[in-house]
PDB file of all heavy atoms in Angstrom:
ATOM      1  N   ALA E   1     119.165 115.317 114.242  1.00  0.00           N
ATOM      2  CA  ALA E   1     118.880 113.994 113.691  1.00  0.00           C
ATOM      3  C   ALA E   1     118.425 114.110 112.244  1.00  0.00           C
ATOM      4  O   ALA E   1     117.743 115.075 111.872  1.00  0.00           O
ATOM      5  CB  ALA E   1     117.806 113.308 114.532  1.00  0.00           C
ATOM      6  N   GLY E   2     118.810 113.131 111.415  1.00  0.00           N
ATOM      7  CA  GLY E   2     118.326 113.078 110.045  1.00  0.00           C
ATOM      8  C   GLY E   2     119.137 113.894 109.062  1.00  0.00           C
ATOM      9  O   GLY E   2     120.246 114.343 109.344  1.00  0.00           O
ATOM     10  N   VAL E   3     118.531 114.094 107.907  1.00  0.00           N
ATOM     11  CA  VAL E   3     119.183 114.789 106.800  1.00  0.00           C
ATOM     12  C   VAL E   3     118.679 116.229 106.719  1.00  0.00           C
ATOM     13  O   VAL E   3     117.483 116.488 106.854  1.00  0.00           O
ATOM     14  CB  VAL E   3     118.904 114.071 105.462  1.00  0.00           C
ATOM     15  CG1 VAL E   3     119.468 114.863 104.296  1.00  0.00           C
ATOM     16  CG2 VAL E   3     119.489 112.656 105.486  1.00  0.00           C
ATOM     17  N   ILE E   4     119.608 117.154 106.511  1.00  0.00           N
ATOM     18  CA  ILE E   4     119.248 118.555 106.288  1.00  0.00           C
ATOM     19  C   ILE E   4     119.411 118.852 104.801  1.00  0.00           C
ATOM     20  O   ILE E   4     120.521 118.949 104.295  1.00  0.00           O
ATOM     21  CB  ILE E   4     120.130 119.507 107.115  1.00  0.00           C
ATOM     22  CG1 ILE E   4     119.853 119.348 108.611  1.00  0.00           C
ATOM     23  CG2 ILE E   4     119.909 120.956 106.693  1.00  0.00           C
ATOM     24  CD1 ILE E   4     118.521 119.918 109.075  1.00  0.00           C
ATOM     25  N   SER E   5     118.298 118.962 104.109  1.00  0.00           N
ATOM     26  CA  SER E   5     118.321 119.203 102.662  1.00  0.00           C
ATOM     27  C   SER E   5     118.467 120.685 102.356  1.00  0.00           C
ATOM     28  O   SER E   5     118.314 121.542 103.227  1.00  0.00           O
ATOM     29  CB  SER E   5     117.035 118.675 102.040  1.00  0.00           C
ATOM     30  OG  SER E   5     115.912 119.412 102.531  1.00  0.00           O
ATOM     31  N   ASP E   6     118.725 120.989 101.101  1.00  0.00           N
ATOM     32  CA  ASP E   6     118.799 122.387 100.666  1.00  0.00           C
ATOM     33  C   ASP E   6     117.459 123.092 100.883  1.00  0.00           C
ATOM     34  O   ASP E   6     117.413 124.282 101.203  1.00  0.00           O
ATOM     35  CB  ASP E   6     119.199 122.466  99.190  1.00  0.00           C
ATOM     36  CG  ASP E   6     120.655 122.087  98.966  1.00  0.00           C
ATOM     37  OD1 ASP E   6     121.433 122.117  99.936  1.00  0.00           O
ATOM     38  OD2 ASP E   6     121.010 121.753  97.815  1.00  0.00           O
ATOM     39  N   THR E   7     116.377 122.342 100.709  1.00  0.00           N
ATOM     40  CA  THR E   7     115.039 122.907 100.913  1.00  0.00           C
ATOM     41  C   THR E   7     114.837 123.333 102.361  1.00  0.00           C
ATOM     42  O   THR E   7     114.309 124.414 102.645  1.00  0.00           O
ATOM     43  CB  THR E   7     113.958 121.890 100.519  1.00  0.00           C
ATOM     44  OG1 THR E   7     114.114 121.529  99.146  1.00  0.00           O
ATOM     45  CG2 THR E   7     112.562 122.466 100.732  1.00  0.00           C
ATOM     46  N   LYS E   8     115.287 122.481 103.284  1.00  0.00           N
ATOM     47  CA  LYS E   8     115.160 122.800 104.700  1.00  0.00           C
ATOM     48  C   LYS E   8     116.037 123.992 105.075  1.00  0.00           C
ATOM     49  O   LYS E   8     115.628 124.860 105.849  1.00  0.00           O
ATOM     50  CB  LYS E   8     115.519 121.584 105.548  1.00  0.00           C
ATOM     51  CG  LYS E   8     114.507 120.453 105.471  1.00  0.00           C
ATOM     52  CD  LYS E   8     114.899 119.296 106.375  1.00  0.00           C
ATOM     53  CE  LYS E   8     113.843 118.190 106.345  1.00  0.00           C
ATOM     54  NZ  LYS E   8     114.196 117.061 107.236  1.00  0.00           N
ATOM     55  N   LEU E   9     117.230 124.039 104.519  1.00  0.00           N
ATOM     56  CA  LEU E   9     118.118 125.172 104.778  1.00  0.00           C
ATOM     57  C   LEU E   9     117.470 126.476 104.316  1.00  0.00           C
ATOM     58  O   LEU E   9     117.538 127.501 105.008  1.00  0.00           O
ATOM     59  CB  LEU E   9     119.458 124.974 104.068  1.00  0.00           C
ATOM     60  CG  LEU E   9     120.382 123.878 104.626  1.00  0.00           C
ATOM     61  CD1 LEU E   9     121.582 123.689 103.705  1.00  0.00           C
ATOM     62  CD2 LEU E   9     120.837 124.211 106.039  1.00  0.00           C
ATOM     63  N   ALA E  10     116.831 126.421 103.140  1.00  0.00           N
ATOM     64  CA  ALA E  10     116.177 127.606 102.589  1.00  0.00           C
ATOM     65  C   ALA E  10     115.034 128.073 103.497  1.00  0.00           C
ATOM     66  O   ALA E  10     114.846 129.280 103.709  1.00  0.00           O
ATOM     67  CB  ALA E  10     115.662 127.318 101.189  1.00  0.00           C
ATOM     68  N   LYS E  11     114.285 127.124 104.040  1.00  0.00           N
ATOM     69  CA  LYS E  11     113.175 127.468 104.932  1.00  0.00           C
ATOM     70  C   LYS E  11     113.695 128.139 106.209  1.00  0.00           C
ATOM     71  O   LYS E  11     113.141 129.138 106.673  1.00  0.00           O
ATOM     72  CB  LYS E  11     112.375 126.215 105.283  1.00  0.00           C
ATOM     73  CG  LYS E  11     111.521 125.675 104.144  1.00  0.00           C
ATOM     74  CD  LYS E  11     110.753 124.438 104.592  1.00  0.00           C
ATOM     75  CE  LYS E  11     109.874 123.891 103.467  1.00  0.00           C
ATOM     76  NZ  LYS E  11     109.134 122.669 103.892  1.00  0.00           N
ATOM     77  N   LEU E  12     114.758 127.572 106.776  1.00  0.00           N
ATOM     78  CA  LEU E  12     115.335 128.131 108.001  1.00  0.00           C
ATOM     79  C   LEU E  12     115.872 129.543 107.756  1.00  0.00           C
ATOM     80  O   LEU E  12     115.751 130.420 108.603  1.00  0.00           O
ATOM     81  CB  LEU E  12     116.451 127.225 108.517  1.00  0.00           C
ATOM     82  CG  LEU E  12     116.012 125.867 109.087  1.00  0.00           C
ATOM     83  CD1 LEU E  12     117.220 124.953 109.265  1.00  0.00           C
ATOM     84  CD2 LEU E  12     115.278 126.050 110.408  1.00  0.00           C
ATOM     85  N   ARG E  13     116.480 129.726 106.594  1.00  0.00           N
ATOM     86  CA  ARG E  13     117.031 131.052 106.261  1.00  0.00           C
ATOM     87  C   ARG E  13     115.933 132.097 106.090  1.00  0.00           C
ATOM     88  O   ARG E  13     116.098 133.259 106.458  1.00  0.00           O
ATOM     89  CB  ARG E  13     117.861 130.953 104.981  1.00  0.00           C
ATOM     90  CG  ARG E  13     119.182 130.218 105.166  1.00  0.00           C
ATOM     91  CD  ARG E  13     119.866 129.963 103.841  1.00  0.00           C
ATOM     92  NE  ARG E  13     121.112 129.204 104.021  1.00  0.00           N
ATOM     93  CZ  ARG E  13     121.554 128.287 103.167  1.00  0.00           C
ATOM     94  NH1 ARG E  13     120.866 128.021 102.064  1.00  0.00           N
ATOM     95  NH2 ARG E  13     122.687 127.644 103.410  1.00  0.00           N
ATOM     96  N   LYS E  14     114.808 131.667 105.534  1.00  0.00           N
ATOM     97  CA  LYS E  14     113.702 132.593 105.289  1.00  0.00           C
ATOM     98  C   LYS E  14     112.940 132.920 106.560  1.00  0.00           C
ATOM     99  O   LYS E  14     112.468 134.044 106.755  1.00  0.00           O
ATOM    100  CB  LYS E  14     112.752 131.985 104.245  1.00  0.00           C
ATOM    101  CG  LYS E  14     111.623 132.916 103.846  1.00  0.00           C
ATOM    102  CD  LYS E  14     110.743 132.268 102.780  1.00  0.00           C
ATOM    103  CE  LYS E  14     109.597 133.186 102.368  1.00  0.00           C
ATOM    104  NZ  LYS E  14     108.722 132.565 101.340  1.00  0.00           N
ATOM    105  N   GLY E  15     112.818 131.925 107.446  1.00  0.00           N
ATOM    106  CA  GLY E  15     112.025 132.090 108.668  1.00  0.00           C
ATOM    107  C   GLY E  15     110.945 131.032 108.736  1.00  0.00           C
ATOM    108  O   GLY E  15     110.299 130.739 107.720  1.00  0.00           O
ATOM    109  N   VAL E  16     110.740 130.436 109.898  1.00  0.00           N
ATOM    110  CA  VAL E  16     109.757 129.367 110.058  1.00  0.00           C
ATOM    111  C   VAL E  16     108.822 129.684 111.221  1.00  0.00           C
ATOM    112  O   VAL E  16     109.160 130.447 112.123  1.00  0.00           O
ATOM    113  CB  VAL E  16     110.445 128.008 110.298  1.00  0.00           C
ATOM    114  CG1 VAL E  16     111.188 127.541 109.060  1.00  0.00           C
ATOM    115  CG2 VAL E  16     111.387 128.063 111.501  1.00  0.00           C
ATOM    116  N   ASP E  17     107.633 129.087 111.177  1.00  0.00           N
ATOM    117  CA  ASP E  17     106.642 129.257 112.237  1.00  0.00           C
ATOM    118  C   ASP E  17     106.982 128.291 113.364  1.00  0.00           C
ATOM    119  O   ASP E  17     107.006 127.076 113.167  1.00  0.00           O
ATOM    120  CB  ASP E  17     105.243 128.963 111.696  1.00  0.00           C
ATOM    121  CG  ASP E  17     104.143 129.347 112.685  1.00  0.00           C
ATOM    122  OD1 ASP E  17     104.409 129.334 113.904  1.00  0.00           O
ATOM    123  OD2 ASP E  17     103.027 129.655 112.236  1.00  0.00           O
ATOM    124  N   ILE E  18     107.244 128.823 114.555  1.00  0.00           N
ATOM    125  CA  ILE E  18     107.596 127.958 115.690  1.00  0.00           C
ATOM    126  C   ILE E  18     106.482 127.956 116.739  1.00  0.00           C
ATOM    127  O   ILE E  18     106.706 127.734 117.917  1.00  0.00           O
ATOM    128  CB  ILE E  18     108.940 128.369 116.322  1.00  0.00           C
ATOM    129  CG1 ILE E  18     108.913 129.827 116.791  1.00  0.00           C
ATOM    130  CG2 ILE E  18     110.083 128.138 115.342  1.00  0.00           C
ATOM    131  CD1 ILE E  18     110.153 130.241 117.591  1.00  0.00           C
ATOM    132  N   GLY E  19     105.266 128.199 116.255  1.00  0.00           N
ATOM    133  CA  GLY E  19     104.122 128.163 117.148  1.00  0.00           C
ATOM    134  C   GLY E  19     103.616 129.551 117.479  1.00  0.00           C
ATOM    135  O   GLY E  19     103.817 130.033 118.597  1.00  0.00           O
ATOM    136  N   GLY E  20     102.983 130.184 116.490  1.00  0.00           N
ATOM    137  CA  GLY E  20     102.454 131.529 116.695  1.00  0.00           C
ATOM    138  C   GLY E  20     103.489 132.619 116.525  1.00  0.00           C
ATOM    139  O   GLY E  20     103.193 133.793 116.752  1.00  0.00           O
ATOM    140  N   PHE E  21     104.672 132.256 116.125  1.00  0.00           N
ATOM    141  CA  PHE E  21     105.736 133.239 115.912  1.00  0.00           C
ATOM    142  C   PHE E  21     106.583 132.801 114.724  1.00  0.00           C
ATOM    143  O   PHE E  21     107.085 131.673 114.697  1.00  0.00           O
ATOM    144  CB  PHE E  21     106.617 133.357 117.158  1.00  0.00           C
ATOM    145  CG  PHE E  21     107.793 134.298 116.999  1.00  0.00           C
ATOM    146  CD1 PHE E  21     107.626 135.669 117.144  1.00  0.00           C
ATOM    147  CD2 PHE E  21     109.055 133.815 116.701  1.00  0.00           C
ATOM    148  CE1 PHE E  21     108.695 136.537 117.004  1.00  0.00           C
ATOM    149  CE2 PHE E  21     110.137 134.675 116.556  1.00  0.00           C
ATOM    150  CZ  PHE E  21     109.945 136.040 116.707  1.00  0.00           C
ATOM    151  N   VAL E  22     106.722 133.682 113.739  1.00  0.00           N
ATOM    152  CA  VAL E  22     107.557 133.379 112.572  1.00  0.00           C
ATOM    153  C   VAL E  22     108.923 134.029 112.790  1.00  0.00           C
ATOM    154  O   VAL E  22     109.024 135.234 113.001  1.00  0.00           O
ATOM    155  CB  VAL E  22     106.918 133.905 111.273  1.00  0.00           C
ATOM    156  CG1 VAL E  22     107.841 133.642 110.084  1.00  0.00           C
ATOM    157  CG2 VAL E  22     105.562 133.245 111.042  1.00  0.00           C
ATOM    158  N   THR E  23     109.952 133.213 112.750  1.00  0.00           N
ATOM    159  CA  THR E  23     111.300 133.713 113.027  1.00  0.00           C
ATOM    160  C   THR E  23     111.795 134.632 111.920  1.00  0.00           C
ATOM    161  O   THR E  23     111.397 134.517 110.761  1.00  0.00           O
ATOM    162  CB  THR E  23     112.286 132.544 113.184  1.00  0.00           C
ATOM    163  OG1 THR E  23     112.313 131.772 111.971  1.00  0.00           O
ATOM    164  CG2 THR E  23     111.878 131.647 114.328  1.00  0.00           C
ATOM    165  N   ALA E  24     112.671 135.525 112.287  1.00  0.00           N
ATOM    166  CA  ALA E  24     113.289 136.427 111.317  1.00  0.00           C
ATOM    167  C   ALA E  24     114.271 135.636 110.456  1.00  0.00           C
ATOM    168  O   ALA E  24     114.682 134.524 110.815  1.00  0.00           O
ATOM    169  CB  ALA E  24     114.018 137.556 112.043  1.00  0.00           C
ATOM    170  N   PRO E  25     114.651 136.170 109.295  1.00  0.00           N
ATOM    171  CA  PRO E  25     115.642 135.480 108.455  1.00  0.00           C
ATOM    172  C   PRO E  25     116.902 135.145 109.254  1.00  0.00           C
ATOM    173  O   PRO E  25     117.384 135.957 110.048  1.00  0.00           O
ATOM    174  CB  PRO E  25     115.936 136.502 107.360  1.00  0.00           C
ATOM    175  CG  PRO E  25     114.668 137.292 107.247  1.00  0.00           C
ATOM    176  CD  PRO E  25     114.146 137.395 108.646  1.00  0.00           C
TER     177      PRO E  25
END
């Protein structure tokens, strides 16, 4: 749902905190 911006793409590529765990690139 919604818009996926370049900023959001960059965050996903780098890794995000999904609740006590930061995902790998």
Side-chain angles (χ1 to χ4, degrees):
V3 175
I4 293 288
S5 65
D6 289 341
T7 301
K8 290 182 177 181
L9 290 173
K11 287 181 179 179
L12 290 167
R13 288 171 182 144
K14 184 178 180 181
V16 292
D17 190 332
I18 58 172
F21 177 81
V22 177
T23 60

